[in-house]
Amino acid sequence: MSDTVAEPAFEPPPEAMAFYEESLRLLKESGVPFLLSGTYAVTAYTGIRRPTKDLDVFCKPGDYPRILAFFQARGYRTDVEDERWIAKVWKDDKHFFDVIFAMSNGTIAVSDSWFGEDRITIYGHEVTITPPTALILSKVFIQDRYRYDGADVNHVILKQSDAIDWKSMLDQMDLYWEVLMAHLLNFRFAYPTERGRVPAWLMTELLERLQAQVDLPAPRVRVCRGRLFSPRDYIADITEWGFGDVVGKGLEERHDPVV
């Protein structure tokens, strides 16, 4: 188990606490394996406090229909927002929680490897949270004009490096090792005295991959992988500059308003 904060403090909207308590109670009653993630996991692992507006519930792709069906049978409204990664359970027009089963860009799905033994007690319920490895994986691609989770990645590495399964992280990021390398370089820059928290073998492996890549010819297929970070920030690349799209999110995809 990771070294979680003894008594993590959260700052949810007061009017939503009863809904959160009820949601966690029903999730546990459903018997479907789930994880609590997002701000709750970050706070538990780092002690950093910040307001949170909802619950991020993670589950395996095959389990999200079971969660939705369980709540729907009890009078809740359910919404499959995007079958590639997210659904919602609504109590009313204001209160909901997210059911997340993959990353929004389709690169990584929640799997058995995401489930560990780390737990917190919140709203009167003991629940399992995403282990540090999975929490980092859930954040490495969140890089757009209005949200960047690199600081969360750095803080989790700083506080939980001994609990991170670095081999599993590399395996799951194998196709996207450059993204992992960029985050680790960012960590080294942010914390020069803490560079040893990232295993030397991992940095050596990534540097060897980079060195082998340097002299290779450019790929023949001209794609823009920037849309794995931000569909909205790389639209011109697809519509005007002739790059192929690797995301398939649609050029007019709805985005939540930036407050």
Side-chain angles (χ1 to χ4, degrees):
M1 294 181 65
S2 307
D3 184 19
T4 54
V5 174
E7 295 183 3
F10 307 101
E11 299 179 10
E15 71 277 6
M17 291 182 64
F19 167 66
Y20 292 165
E21 186 282 326
E22 181 181 68
S23 298
L24 293 175
R25 175 177 59 82
L26 289 173
L27 281 164
K28 294 180 72 173
E29 287 181 10
S30 74
V32 180
F34 73 94
L35 299 163
L36 192 61
S37 193
T39 296
Y40 297 95
V42 171
T43 299
Y45 291 129
T46 69
I48 295 173
R49 297 176 60 180
R50 63 192 184 203
T52 181
K53 68 181 188 305
D54 57 16
L55 293 177
D56 287 338
V57 173
F58 282 32
C59 69
K60 293 187 293 185
D63 283 336
Y64 94 80
R66 297 185 176 98
I67 291 177
L68 266 58
F70 183 87
F71 276 84
Q72 189 168 292
R74 285 154 182 80
Y76 289 76
R77 179 167 64 87
T78 63
D79 173 25
V80 181
E81 184 172 315
D82 189 331
E83 198 170 39
R84 292 167 294 190
W85 72 285
I86 188 171
K88 281 180 164 61
V89 172
W90 294 84
K91 174 70 172 180
D92 48 42
D93 290 337
K94 185 175 181 181
H95 298 113
F96 69 92
F97 67 85
D98 290 328
V99 182
I100 298 170
F101 43 92
M103 300 308 93
S104 63
N105 58 16
T107 54
I108 304 172
V110 177
S111 66
D112 285 331
S113 67
W114 285 46
F115 287 77
E117 299 180 355
D118 295 341
R119 296 177 176 85
I120 61 173
T121 298
I122 181 169
Y123 309 129
H125 297 283
E126 185 180 64
V127 296
T128 306
I129 57 175
T130 43
T133 308
L135 182 58
I136 290 173
L137 288 170
S138 74
K139 291 178 172 292
V140 291
F141 283 100
I142 300 177
Q143 304 183 40
D144 74 8
R145 192 184 322 168
Y146 303 108
R147 181 176 174 187
Y148 173 66
D149 279 8
D152 283 349
V153 172
N154 282 345
H155 289 142
V156 174
I157 293 174
L158 179 67
K159 295 295 186 179
Q160 300 293 336
S161 58
D162 290 340
I164 295 171
D165 187 339
W166 296 102
K167 178 62 168 59
S168 176
M169 183 179 295
L170 179 60
D171 287 344
Q172 295 184 72
M173 290 292 293
D174 201 17
L175 189 58
Y176 312 103
W177 60 268
E178 292 156 296
V179 177
L180 175 59
M181 185 177 187
H183 277 286
L184 297 183
L185 289 174
N186 191 33
F187 175 82
R188 290 168 62 88
F189 179 83
Y191 301 106
T193 62
E194 309 302 318
R195 291 169 181 163
R197 294 186 181 275
V198 177
W201 68 262
L202 178 55
M203 293 306 303
T204 299
E205 167 67 22
L206 294 172
L207 287 168
E208 288 177 352
R209 294 186 184 194
L210 182 62
Q211 183 60 52
Q213 184 195 65
V214 166
D215 295 325
L216 294 179
R220 294 177 61 186
V221 178
R222 194 166 182 255
V223 300
C224 174
R225 290 190 294 182
R227 275 172 55 85
L228 293 176
F229 296 132
S230 174
R232 60 185 144 197
D233 289 335
Y234 291 88
I235 290 178
D237 307 73
I238 310 305
T239 60
E240 300 177 26
W241 301 340
F243 287 91
D245 190 4
V246 297
V247 179
K249 280 183 170 286
L251 301 180
E252 301 300 329
E253 182 177 88
R254 179 186 63 80
H255 297 291
D256 292 333
V258 177
V259 179

